[in-house]
Amino acid sequence: MNNNPIGVFDSGVGGLSVFSQLIRLMPNENYIYYGDTINLPYGDKSKEELVEITGKIFDFFKSRGVKAVVMACNTTSATTYDILKTKYSFKIYPIVQTVAKEIALKNYNRIGVFATNATINSHAYKREVRKYNLRTEVFETACPKWVSIVENQLQNDPESINDIKTQLDLMLTNKPDKIILGCTHYPYLINVLSHYAGTDLFINPAKSFAENIYKDLKEQELISDNQNNKIEFLVSSNPDQFISASKLFYDVREAKEIDLSRLTVNYNL
Ligand code: DGL
């Protein structure tokens, strides 16, 4: 069981911000990273579509005998985790729920969240933070253009910079103590963001999320010590763009295209 792979997924390269932290803490695991680039951006999809997509990915991971699945995607954690969490026997780690709990316990007064439309519309960050701490006020802002800015590496384009600055200015009117980068793509934009506000203002949740996963797998004695571990990168379309956009967080040398659409989904919506 310990040497069974860990499945990690996102709509594209964003989840690599989490993956790079996982590999740092657990270098001997077998990993399957799935970037669902054909369905990108997840943030503009409905909850029903996201449940169907995530179910197919979970079914695929199940067919590969994973011991755990890391939802390195805020959008699917926010919208599908509660529906799918009881349908599989492997461990499931959702980013939003894990990060929100940690933030809540830090007792900030005012927290900002930048995320995709679907994450913001679900109000999952607000709900999860307030489960543990009713004192913390949560201000949520959707940044729908940022995922394609990252996937297409347009972060230095004047139009992109203008959009990033506009959303940041809007958020700063709430006077947040910290701003969560609540989409795994957004840490790629930290250079632009910290040009207009202190780097310390922003929380990239990838590191603490990975630490939580490591702690839990260790407690359950599920860590692998396999020296010949294997890492697979699979994408549903356009491996070349995935490889090229991966450079900032984890330099993917090769990725194989795979179509999960033929898998049957065995749950009811
Ligand atoms: N990176 C994902 C997230 O954390 C999904 C972004 C998207 O495809 O819209 O929300």
Side-chain angles (χ1 to χ4, degrees):
M1 179 69 168
N2 289 21
N3 289 340
N4 288 20
I6 297 177
V8 183
F9 80 97
D10 183 41
S11 59
V13 291
L16 292 173
S17 57
V18 173
F19 179 74
S20 62
Q21 298 295 332
L22 291 172
I23 194 114
R24 185 177 62 83
L25 295 167
M26 298 178 282
N28 298 322
E29 299 295 329
N30 291 308
Y31 291 99
I32 307 170
Y33 183 100
Y34 183 66
D36 191 11
T37 43
I38 206 162
N39 286 313
L40 186 128
Y42 278 175
D44 295 339
K45 293 204 154 32
S46 68
K47 181 174 175 140
E48 288 70 25
E49 286 172 307
L50 291 167
V51 171
E52 181 164 0
I53 288 168
T54 308
K56 279 185 180 158
I57 297 170
F58 280 14
D59 284 352
F60 166 69
F61 283 141
K62 183 177 161 189
S63 76
R64 296 290 305 269
V66 297
K67 64 182 173 192
V69 168
V70 176
M71 302 181 82
C73 169
N74 291 262
T75 307
T76 52
S77 301
T79 55
T80 75
Y81 173 68
D82 285 343
I83 297 171
L84 297 176
K85 65 183 177 193
T86 53
K87 300 188 192 279
Y88 296 85
S89 55
F90 43 73
K91 299 270 324 177
I92 303 175
Y93 298 106
I95 187 165
V96 170
Q97 289 75 356
T98 314
V99 169
K101 181 173 178 188
E102 208 161 287
I103 297 289
L105 299 179
K106 289 202 166 29
N107 276 321
Y108 294 116
N109 291 319
R110 301 165 79 81
I111 281 293
V113 181
F114 284 144
T116 64
N117 276 330
T119 303
I120 296 302
N121 292 338
S122 75
H123 299 295
Y125 266 106
K126 190 178 269 181
R127 193 183 58 236
E128 292 295 321
V129 167
R130 294 179 70 83
K131 236 189 221 176
Y132 305 98
N133 189 340
L134 286 171
R135 244 192 68 217
T136 306
E137 276 194 81
V138 181
F139 302 93
E140 302 169 305
T141 297
C143 308
K145 294 189 184 148
W146 293 11
V147 169
S148 68
I149 291 175
V150 172
E151 288 285 336
N152 298 301
Q153 299 166 76
L154 296 173
Q155 61 272 28
N156 298 321
D157 211 73
E159 231 179 272
S160 310
I161 293 175
N162 194 31
D163 186 74
I164 295 165
K165 188 170 179 319
T166 306
Q167 304 290 28
L168 179 60
D169 285 345
L170 191 73
M171 174 58 88
L172 291 178
T173 61
N174 300 312
K175 304 205 180 318
D177 302 318
K178 295 279 177 194
I179 301 173
I180 304 171
L181 300 177
C183 167
T184 50
H185 282 75
Y186 297 175
Y188 285 89
L189 302 174
I190 193 70
N191 287 345
V192 183
L193 287 164
S194 53
H195 199 77
Y196 301 106
T199 318
D200 285 357
L201 182 65
F202 302 100
I203 298 177
N204 170 4
K207 191 159 175 264
S208 70
F209 179 42
E211 283 165 358
N212 268 285
I213 296 167
Y214 173 54
K215 192 166 159 265
D216 191 66
L217 286 172
K218 207 165 154 193
E219 271 168 22
Q220 318 237 2
E221 300 184 354
L222 279 174
I223 300 284
S224 166
D225 57 5
N226 176 9
Q227 303 289 322
N228 299 313
N229 63 321
K230 198 170 135 207
I231 303 173
E232 260 180 281
F233 292 100
L234 304 172
V235 290
S236 47
S237 74
N238 214 341
D240 293 341
Q241 190 189 330
F242 178 82
I243 291 166
S244 142
S246 73
K247 301 245 166 5
L248 274 175
F249 273 145
Y250 188 90
D251 199 350
V252 172
R253 299 288 154 87
E254 52 184 56
K256 208 168 82 197
E257 193 164 318
I258 173 177
D259 174 12
L260 299 190
S261 66
R262 272 167 283 142
L263 281 178
T264 358
V265 180
N266 55 4
Y267 58 84
N268 299 315
L269 280 186

